[in-house]
Amino acid sequence: MSKRSGFMRLPGDKSSIEYEATERKVVMHFDVLPEFCYFEGTEVQRGYSAVWIDAAMAQLVSRVTSGEYAAATLEMKLNYVQPVIGRLVTAEASIERIGRSVAFLEGCLLDEESKLLIAASSTIMLVRANND
């Protein structure tokens, strides 16, 4: 687990990343706060859940390319399997294929019991990172 440097602060972010280099996978954890919810504070607004998955994917691209590239999301598809309800969620991202300028990623959002809440796929453009 490592701390992020130079990365935006996300709603509910627990400020840690688990990176599994051999599996090319990132895992991030987020606290679900009442202010992220609608329907009387029980279900997370879908924009927050999309941001959490997208952030895991962006961190994965940065890690896999040793910080040389950042991710610009070209397209992201989300399949909402179950409502996002609970106090803690986990966003995971993995690379299906990475080329010179485009990467194809898979991701998901899991609840505290590792049940699938959202399945995602994304097309990412690799953008040279500004490491100044």
Side-chain angles (χ1 to χ4, degrees):
M1 196 173 330
S2 63
K3 293 280 185 184
R4 260 192 307 287
S5 61
F7 194 71
M8 73 176 116
R9 182 86 174 124
L10 297 168
D13 186 6
K14 298 192 71 71
S15 297
S16 65
I17 300 173
E18 298 168 29
Y19 173 54
E20 300 169 15
T22 55
E23 295 180 34
R24 299 195 312 177
K25 178 179 175 182
V26 157
V27 177
M28 297 172 67
H29 304 283
F30 298 92
D31 288 319
V32 175
L33 303 177
E35 56 265 28
F36 304 158
C37 300
Y38 50 32
F39 298 128
E40 300 179 8
T42 58
E43 183 180 349
V44 172
Q45 198 279 335
R46 287 172 177 84
Y48 287 108
S49 51
V51 166
W52 294 331
I53 296 169
D54 194 43
M57 291 178 172
Q59 279 295 313
L60 180 59
V61 168
S62 179
R63 302 288 170 140
V64 166
T65 64
S66 301
E68 187 176 342
Y69 290 94
T73 303
L74 297 172
E75 178 267 339
M76 186 165 76
K77 179 180 178 190
L78 301 168
N79 293 309
Y80 294 89
V81 178
Q82 296 184 55
V84 179
I85 298 172
R87 293 190 314 257
L88 178 71
V89 293
T90 300
E92 295 183 356
S94 61
I95 291 182
E96 293 300 310
R97 192 172 72 206
I98 189 165
R100 292 183 189 150
S101 60
V102 175
F104 300 94
L105 287 76
E106 298 288 328
C108 64
L109 196 69
L110 306 170
D111 69 8
E112 294 171 272
E113 298 171 358
S114 297
K115 290 182 186 168
L116 180 65
L117 302 172
I118 300 171
S121 61
S122 186
T123 304
I124 303 275
M125 180 171 58
L126 302 174
V127 179
R128 189 148 317 261
N130 183 359
N131 293 320
D132 294 335

